[in-house]
Amino acid sequence: MASTNNRVAPAARVYAFGMCHSAEMIADLSRRAYEYRAQVLRMVYGRKSGHIGGAFSIAEILCCLYFHQMRVDPARAEWPDRDRLVFSKGHACAMLYTMLAHRGYFPVEELETFRALDSRLQGHPEPAKTPGIEAAAGPLGHGVAIGVGMALAARMEKSKRRTYVVLGDGELNSGVIWEGAMVAAKYGLDNLTVIVDYNGVQQSGTTQQIMPTEPIAAKWASFNWHVIEIHGHNVAEILTALDTAHEMHGRPVVIIARTTKGKGVSFMENSPAWHGGVPTGEQFQKALAELEEGARQWSA
Amino acid sequence: MASTNNRVAPAARVYAFGMCHSAEMIADLSRRAYEYRAQVLRMVYGRKSGHIGGAFSIAEILCCLYFHQMRVDPARAEWPDRDRLVFSKGHACAMLYTMLAHRGYFPVEELETFRALDSRLQGHPEPAKTPGIEAAAGPLGHGVAIGVGMALAARMEKSKRRTYVVLGDGELNSGVIWEGAMVAAKYGLDNLTVIVDYNGVQQSGTTQQIMPTEPIAAKWASFNWHVIEIHGHNVAEILTALDTAHEMHGRPVVIIARTTKGKGVSFMENSPAWHGGVPTGEQFQKALAELEEGARQWSA
Amino acid sequence: MERLILNPSPGVTLMRKAYGEALVELGHAREDVVVLSADVQSSDFSCMFEAAFPERFINVGIAEPALVDVAVGLANGGKVPIANTFGFLFATRALEMVRTHLAFSGANVKLAAAYAGLSDSFDGPTHQTIADLAILRSLPNMAVVVPADARAVRRLLPQVAAWNGPVYFRLCRNELPDIFGEDYQPEIGKAVMLMPGQDATIIACGVMVGIALEAARRLAQEGIHARVVEIHTIKPLDTEMVVHCARETGALVTAEEHSIVGGLGGAVAECLGESYPVPLERVGVRDTFTESGPYEDLLRKYGLSSDAIVDATRRAMARKPSAAPIEVQSMCG
Amino acid sequence: MERLILNPSPGVTLMRKAYGEALVELGHAREDVVVLSADVQSSDFSCMFEAAFPERFINVGIAEPALVDVAVGLANGGKVPIANTFGFLFATRALEMVRTHLAFSGANVKLAAAYAGLSDSFDGPTHQTIADLAILRSLPNMAVVVPADARAVRRLLPQVAAWNGPVYFRLCRNELPDIFGEDYQPEIGKAVMLMPGQDATIIACGVMVGIALEAARRLAQEGIHARVVEIHTIKPLDTEMVVHCARETGALVTAEEHSIVGGLGGAVAECLGESYPVPLERVGVRDTFTESGPYEDLLRKYGLSSDAIVDATRRAMARKPSAAPIEVQSMCG
Ligand SMILES: Cc1ncc(C[n+]2csc(CCOP(=O)(O)OP(=O)(O)O)c2C)c(N)n1
Ligand SMILES: Cc1ncc(C[n+]2csc(CCOP(=O)(O)OP(=O)(O)O)c2C)c(N)n1
Ligand SMILES: [Mg+2]
Ligand SMILES: [Mg+2]
């Protein structure tokens, strides 16, 4: 992980870990998820490159992790007992970078350099360049096994730190996911939580067309994981699921979060075309308007 | 696959596919499984190299496949419509070679050259050298996905040929197994049958110690396979399961065959030490005596 | 050589589109061709084959090891499978399958390696492929073929399918200048002399062929006559041509969209060492990962430019025993 | 050089046993070392560490991609993970993990590559590893280290652990002659001159070091004085030593338990081409898969013998420009 230089004060409010999930907090995080989507939209539109669909589906989940659940400190990015996030579906990193910037790891303005030559914000996460990134991603499938290693290291050091892993649902096609799942269960890693962004779409089609994933809960259960199923755009459900995972004993937990790829923009939702598509000027304006409307619905 | 030169008349009786499973046939195949174990014992003892444990656990299953179920013809080893066997747990190939020799693919005497320099019987199966071998094996995990390709080819050509895949249970640790399992289910490959040699031991310990596999039936079921569980040393059960698999429509079938690693030799059974161990002279004699006794129990 | 190379280049063609079209044409010509993808057919344009021959198209999902193994099974059934995904995934994620079943067992599977070199430029170093030639070339029995423009793709793909054994066919994601004319008739395993010259030889593959021609034209303006040779087949290497050029020109430069370690430059270095040692300069990525950005910018920043080739040619020539003695810094590493 | 090399060799040591013991010693010296296996700890003797430090030993089962990724996660937590499995599995099955997280991201993971070269002789070509040096060397930032005897294992392993970044440590399965004496103090990245000589230089690694010494002694009896240099670090290569020997002896031979493509021979060929071109002969497996059989028989049959080195040395010397002109057949491929 790169060191946190050019640090700016966090622009966005953090709800301390453990505090109760007030209606205000839930509304605030929900609203910000839409604002962060708009930010991602601008980045991809600006650079004419990037992955919108899977970034939009994971917005609320990352909001909950970075602004409440995870004990991290941008001022001490290398703090050994920080919680870890492995963002395994690395193509959606425009949303991850947006979270990191708003959490205070680097200036929000730097988001504009996404995917540009000489930028710290690479096309896929690169820990040596970007403060706050724990593991490289891009090639799919690594998250669970890397998370296992992090969780084992925490256990060896008797640290209470937790490891979170975010997967795509198409990513579950990849065998190394299931290798990692077996290892996690063998070692009973209850300090490891995996979240599947279950948006039903992979790159070139729906999971139903390309590689069916159902029965997804039964798969993880048969690999000896505790399974929680939630709506992945419902902040209250996300927060509760993360708490439940936190209290689990003796088993790793997977949260299957039902989401919508391209969430928040009518013409992007559930469409494989927006996995890696770049909007035209007109589409950009329309999408922005929809996202602003989405944010407004959560405003006080 | 190498061409069948030096062909000899099959020494061993073949029970034509489809014929009823008489008590005599069952006894004969059961007895021969013990004789073939003795053959494997001699090969490994002679060369001081090879894998006895997993060869002994798969004896009855291979007997049923080669001497009844599979439509193959050593005289036409390249016959396009032959059934295919992918022997994925390639380390146990001493038993496979023994079957092939007795089925008539090459002289039984050639078995003595196992693992010797310049031999056609390599340490792990090599299709270019050994008649009757369909796919290289050794590195574990390939069987299911290769079998999928074979089954897809058969379907494209509207051929009734079937594909059988033999896996180890430790082999199920490997992610590519589950990748292949997903693809098979996606394409509803009912012409594909996988047999898991479920002997509960892998290389350096029991599966319970090294990588627990339970609940194994639930795993395959959650990957949308039809699961049959049998005793893998019971010829009658094996034959029935293969018939059931044959009649399945729309889904691939996995037969979980409970077996004993090192089956037939008291001091080898269930012991990881005999995964790749080589017997001393004394152990060899004792093992041979036990196997001969095992064969006698099935003699008329 | 008018109709061998086009000067100036009349335009650019999206290589993956040329590939998709050639694949469909191949599908019409050969019924035994089956195409496989691992959920990136919209990226590499094998989706064009899917549209034309849905019953001969298989999608295994995001599972590259299975992609290769399924192809191996199809080859066992007499098919000619063409497996498609990003080059780096064949060269790394699925490499054991490639080694065991293609290189070792000889399964007649073709790997169409999309997005190779730096051409997946914005996705960054995890998706770029700067070591695939070195890796694939290290496997016995693999053929490794790198087309340089759209015409080359069209003319080489049927040969890839007809080749008796496994082939790694390395493709670029982007628009490339059309460089070859009507008379370009590449043959797997045979180098192609594109431009004569006696002062040095520039050996190039892929996107670097056009850039090498540009470099040679610039050098010609200074009175330096560099020969340009295309080696589209990295393995089996046309060693005769390499030795021939070493003898005749006494100094070699290789240019590839790949690390300087182990690829075309490595193959030529090995050949020279064992046959006819002359000064060799390797133009390529200097054993480092690169970054995200526009393709052209990346090529320039990481030394894959006509400037770099011009400099390398001068350096190689200066190192000829006949040349005036100058101190040349070692750049090997 | 009495105490640098032992002549005659006083005996043989099982390298994997030496490795297991060195691993336990390392475990005592460093609390941050964690050892991982993929169900072959009884083969590679990392089970000795398991017995001594069960709480610092992790077994992921037969899952080599996960093996490397779990190690990557441990490294993120400040551990120094040493992952153990067969060399071919790191170099192929788990290569994408190695490339993405070790080479690219710099994860401080050490790969102990058991059963390398032809040493898993009876298991045959699927388990042997003749391309791992080429493959690992093609990745930026990887260190590639090949010890030649038990003492080398003991002295190099702590350096592997202390090296700032990923290392591929290539180990032999079998008994090897003890060749190094007390004074052997290898340092990662530095070649070791083992025997003086001006007529040619033999550069060797691993099991071929002892065989190279034997070849040099035989040549000496004919009045040919071949220098013998051990290059235990294939990457980063000690290019200074290579160039120095090229200048001083004018002809080089490489000897490795690996394909002649891309490994030690490839690295030396690249260095010579770009620095000081002299005749180079590569002794190694000639770009083919081998077979099952006794280790010694395989080494002999596939040209990894002192005979082969003696012949290669004569050929290289004959090709010096100063030598009487003879027709030398190209052997590059
Ligand atoms: C191993 C690997 N194969 C292929 C790709 C190309 N790829 C990038 S994203 C993607 C689809 C991912 O789908 P999913 O996991 O469902 O992600 P999401 O829907 O959340 O975007 C593919 C195939 C890759 N990055 N890595
Ligand atoms: C990918 C891979 N990893 C490791 C090995 C080494 N190995 C050979 S056999 C074996 C154990 C296999 O156990 P199992 O599948 O249960 O086979 P069986 O009990 O039937 O012998 C291992 C780890 C291998 N051959 N391939
Ligand atoms: Mg998805
Ligand atoms: Mg077993």
Side-chain angles (χ1 to χ4, degrees), chain B residues 54 89 91 138 140 168-171 199 201 203 261 275, chain D residues 62 64:
Chain B
K89 39 171 278 183
H91 57 281
L140 294 162
D169 51 357
E171 192 176 5
N199 61 25
V201 178
Q203 174 164 330
K261 198 153 175 169
H275 170 74
Chain D
I62 306 168
E64 294 77 14

Side-chain angles (χ1 to χ4, degrees), chain A residues 118-137:
Chain A
D118 298 323
S119 171
R120 295 199 294 178
L121 305 181
Q122 291 290 298
H124 287 86
E126 178 171 352
K129 286 198 172 148
T130 313
I133 301 286
E134 298 286 355

Side-chain angles (χ1 to χ4, degrees), chain D residues 59 91 180 197:
Chain D
N59 197 331
F180 296 123

